Amino acid sequence: MNKKLAQWVNECAEWAKPESIHRCTGSTEEYNKLIEMMLADGTLLELNQESYPGCYLHRSNPNDVARVENLTFICSTEREHAGPTNNWMSPEEGKAKVWPLFENCMKGRTMYVVPYIMGPAESPFSKIGVEITDSPYVVANMRIMTRMGDVATKRLSNGEDFVPGLHSMGDLNPSRRYILHFPDERLIWSFGSGYGGNALLGKKCFALRIASVMGKEEGWMAEHMLILELEDPTGDKTYFAAAFPSACGKTNLAMLISPLHEQGYKVRTVGDDIAWMHVGEDGRLWAINPEAGFFGVAPGTSERTNPNALAAMHSNSIFTNVAVTEDGIPWWEGKDASPPANLTDWMGEFPWTGPGPAAHSNSRFTTPASQCPSISPSWESPQGVPISGIIFGGRRDTTVPLVAQAFDWQHGTFLGATMTSKTTAAATAAVGQLRYDPMAMLPFCGYHMGDYFQHWLEMGKKLANPPQIFYVNWFRQNSEGKYLWPGYGQNIRALIWMLERVRGTASAVTTPIGLVPDPSSLNLDGLKIDSADLEGVLKVDSAEWRADLDHMNTFLTSIGDRLPQELWGEFELLRERLAD
């Protein structure tokens, strides 16, 4: 065993006092034994094995159903390094407060040692992590979400370094719940939660919070972005990365089924949530998907919105906090037009009668990416895929048009830095409030947001051929609350316009916020959309944008002295353009 790993495992075992220790191999036999054990103790419930073979349901404690941003801390040596958008504790305070919670916490439990690779197994851009946990549910999900077990142990045995993560369910007491990141030590501790975003330490904790620090120091980018492949009628393939806050349609866009398939426009999935991006020898930005599975939001997923996700999750998947029918079929709001009779809700109440939802609004599915019908043949390419366009998007009822292109990389960085969206149920906070979420990284950046913006600017200087940057909004409404754009598969039309802008072939109208489509430049073949709705969804209303300026100024000011002056310059240019 890797000496550093052996020492760390022994230290954790001596403190947490597990009944036994199991080093995970990642084998099918091991996974099946874990499933059998969890079925026997009630951690999992078997779903209909004819319709959903290899699928199971997990019900969380009702106090443990989402990311806990208020209990998530960056424990950098200096408070200033964490910045104003993160919760901070000193490493000394964090360890003094949380290490005692781990004492004897695994008595009567098995300690699982979970080695895993973030990224394709043969990629030079992949990284190794090891999670110690007392949750077999976490182990099973980590097997789906990462390249886990012997494939990682092989690299560890060669002396490769790794990011250690220590997790325990504890007693699920919210007052004893902490998610700590020690960026200087590349260390993660999580105590008192079993929810995926808090407990699957390879996901947000490593792949974003710790990796963002690693990327800054090593000259690459760890971003909360999907990666998609767009094929045109000639068979040429172009790759986009796109950042959306959780539950704002990322997975739907990554798995989009094109209504223009017969014209030759096809979308394939490289990743649905996280992108690690490096500067290639050709001066382009190249991206890998560090994950091996999807941890998707179930509510709203349907044959209309995301048939590829539905197909992917029909086998070998774990569902969390969904409802279930009498015959063992998982169900959630938005799956069908109306709920079936005699549902058992996400808390196990039968029959569900409301008024609350049958499935929790942040209920999830974990499924292998390889099962997705739209998965790209390039999704495990060791080099990654070349990114030609970066897309930022949020959930806005007004103001933001369907799609706009930045004037250049610096302006695009400003657009990402000032991205706003309505909050969703993916985090334990009020739903439906408008907040600034720069690059959809507000909860996930492991260091000072001002330094993060500077890193974006510096990365742009390294790129001989930088991606074009776009800003989208599928959710704009009219004064009656009607959505102006059909969304879902029809978003291919905005993607095609972006593709043509990358190639310099589509026309655009210059506005104060960027370049927006001339309506005639959008491929609207076969789409029935009212001309007033089309005009409304593309409209840039200077008065609405001016109303945002004070809030934007307040947010930028909150970043402090480390906000790059280039972004203040972009803010002043925007103010001037809106005044004309």
Side-chain angles (χ1 to χ4, degrees):
M1 185 182 284
N2 180 296
K3 288 185 178 180
K4 175 184 172 182
L5 176 57
Q7 181 178 350
W8 179 59
V9 169
N10 289 337
E11 178 186 355
C12 292
E14 289 174 6
W15 189 247
K17 298 291 193 299
E19 183 176 297
S20 60
I21 301 175
H22 176 78
R23 182 186 66 79
C24 295
T25 66
S27 70
T28 301
E29 179 184 13
E30 176 185 71
Y31 178 79
N32 289 339
K33 286 183 178 179
L34 284 169
I35 296 296
E36 290 171 6
M37 180 179 69
M38 288 188 283
L39 289 172
D41 68 15
T43 301
L44 294 182
L45 301 173
E46 189 172 73
L47 294 172
N48 188 309
Q49 294 299 294
E50 291 186 9
S51 301
Y52 286 81
C55 292
Y56 305 92
L57 170 65
H58 173 70
R59 293 190 180 118
S60 299
N61 187 304
N63 74 27
D64 186 33
V65 293
R67 283 184 288 107
V68 284
E69 293 180 9
N70 62 314
L71 301 175
T72 299
F73 292 85
I74 302 298
C75 300
S76 52
T77 304
E78 301 294 333
R79 185 185 195 115
E80 185 66 13
H81 293 167
T85 60
N86 284 312
N87 300 313
W88 177 81
M89 278 191 213
S90 70
E92 295 77 17
E93 180 187 0
K95 290 179 178 180
K97 181 172 289 189
V98 177
W99 183 244
L101 300 180
F102 284 107
E103 185 177 14
N104 300 324
C105 69
M106 296 186 186
K107 274 192 172 181
R109 303 179 185 178
T110 297
M111 171 187 281
Y112 298 95
V113 181
V114 185
Y116 61 93
I117 302 175
M118 298 303 294
E122 304 303 321
S123 175
F125 308 116
S126 296
K127 304 288 184 183
I128 309 297
V130 179
E131 176 167 0
I132 289 176
T133 179
D134 55 10
S135 167
Y137 167 78
V138 166
V139 178
N141 279 278
M142 286 291 285
R143 184 179 184 270
I144 294 172
M145 291 301 300
T146 69
R147 287 84 174 172
M148 184 267 269
D150 288 347
V151 66
T153 301
K154 181 180 179 181
R155 288 176 58 164
L156 286 166
S157 65
N158 293 329
E160 190 162 340
D161 201 7
F162 65 95
V163 171
L166 175 59
H167 166 258
S168 175
M169 297 279 287
D171 57 7
L172 296 180
N173 184 340
S175 67
R176 292 156 51 88
R177 182 171 295 159
Y178 294 95
I179 297 88
L180 304 185
H181 306 77
F182 302 87
D184 303 305
E185 301 175 63
R186 308 285 196 263
L187 172 67
I188 306 162
W189 285 357
S190 174
F191 188 87
S193 172
Y195 172 73
N198 304 324
L200 306 182
L201 302 187
K203 195 164 178 59
K204 307 299 192 189
C205 295
F206 180 178
L208 290 178
R209 297 191 188 98
I210 295 295
S212 63
V213 176
M214 298 171 74
K216 178 180 180 294
E217 295 178 357
E218 298 169 8
W220 52 279
M221 306 170 80
E223 300 296 331
H224 187 208
M225 291 183 175
L226 65 85
I227 311 167
L228 66 81
E229 173 187 296
L230 177 59
E231 181 177 331
D232 71 10
T234 70
D236 192 37
K237 298 176 179 65
T238 302
Y239 296 90
F240 290 85
F244 295 81
S246 297
C248 284
K250 274 179 73 182
T251 301
N252 291 348
L253 183 63
M255 300 182 190
L256 181 149
I257 291 183
S258 170
L260 302 178
H261 185 88
E262 292 184 0
Q263 291 187 21
Y265 291 104
K266 306 169 187 175
V267 171
R268 298 186 185 91
T269 311
V270 179
D272 82 318
D273 193 42
I274 299 173
W276 286 359
M277 301 191 286
H278 302 74
V279 180
E281 294 181 359
D282 58 1
R284 292 189 293 174
L285 197 61
W286 290 72
I288 64 168
N289 170 15
E291 300 187 293
F294 305 129
F295 181 63
V297 177
T301 305
S302 69
E303 284 291 347
R304 181 175 73 90
T305 64
N306 197 337
N308 279 323
L310 279 186
M313 68 177 76
H314 258 277
S315 60
N316 308 312
S317 300
I318 297 174
F319 294 84
T320 300
N321 295 335
V322 299
V324 63
T325 66
E326 285 187 295
D327 55 351
I329 303 296
W331 190 89
W332 49 83
E333 277 69 17
K335 186 181 182 185
D336 306 303
S338 57
N342 296 324
L343 278 173
T344 300
D345 74 8
W346 69 275
M347 291 186 288
E349 295 295 324
F350 174 85
W352 169 73
T353 57
H360 190 273
S361 51
N362 192 40
S363 55
R364 297 278 176 160
F365 60 89
T366 316
T367 196
S370 59
Q371 295 183 178
C372 181
S374 63
I375 199 73
S376 166
S378 300
W379 86 283
E380 288 195 291
S381 169
Q383 174 64 21
V385 296
I387 301 299
S388 296
I390 289 175
I391 303 167
F392 297 120
R395 182 182 290 267
R396 290 293 302 266
D397 298 342
T398 63
T399 313
V400 180
L402 175 69
V403 57
Q405 181 184 5
F407 298 124
D408 52 34
W409 180 271
Q410 181 172 295
H411 180 235
T413 300
F414 173 76
L415 289 180
T418 55
M419 191 171 86
T420 53
S421 185
K422 282 189 171 182
T423 53
T424 69
T428 53
V431 173
Q433 294 185 353
L434 195 67
R435 77 168 177 178
Y436 282 87
D437 192 351
M439 285 79 165
M441 282 285 285
L442 184 72
F444 308 122
C445 184
Y447 60 102
H448 197 294
M449 191 60 75
D451 295 343
Y452 170 75
F453 297 151
Q454 187 65 51
H455 182 52
W456 264 78
L457 295 172
E458 294 301 320
M459 287 294 295
K461 295 174 185 176
K462 297 178 181 179
L463 296 166
N465 186 17
Q468 296 297 310
I469 298 180
F470 302 89
Y471 196 170
V472 302
N473 177 28
W474 318 130
F475 303 98
R476 193 158 179 175
Q477 302 175 22
N478 63 17
S479 57
E480 285 77 45
K482 174 197 171 188
Y483 287 107
L484 298 175
W485 183 250
Y488 305 116
Q490 301 301 341
N491 294 336
I492 186 72
R493 302 172 191 276
L495 286 174
I496 292 170
W497 183 81
M498 288 183 258
L499 168 64
E500 292 174 349
R501 288 299 299 172
V502 166
R503 295 175 175 173
T505 58
S507 60
V509 177
T510 301
T511 77
I513 67 157
L515 304 162
V516 302
D518 180 317
S520 64
S521 68
L522 285 173
N523 183 332
L524 301 176
D525 292 351
L527 179 65
K528 294 181 180 179
I529 183 169
D530 185 85
S531 59
D533 287 350
L534 181 61
E535 179 182 354
V537 81
L538 295 175
K539 184 178 181 180
V540 175
D541 187 321
S542 292
E544 289 183 341
W545 280 91
R546 283 195 297 269
D548 270 8
L549 286 177
D550 285 345
H551 299 292
M552 192 180 296
N553 180 69
T554 299
F555 171 72
L556 293 174
T557 301
S558 74
I559 302 301
D561 294 340
R562 289 163 91 146
L563 183 83
Q565 286 303 308
E566 293 92 331
L567 298 193
W568 275 124
E570 290 293 338
F571 176 76
E572 291 304 326
L573 287 172
L574 174 62
R575 188 198 299 273
E576 292 170 11
R577 292 193 298 265
L578 290 171
D580 290 342

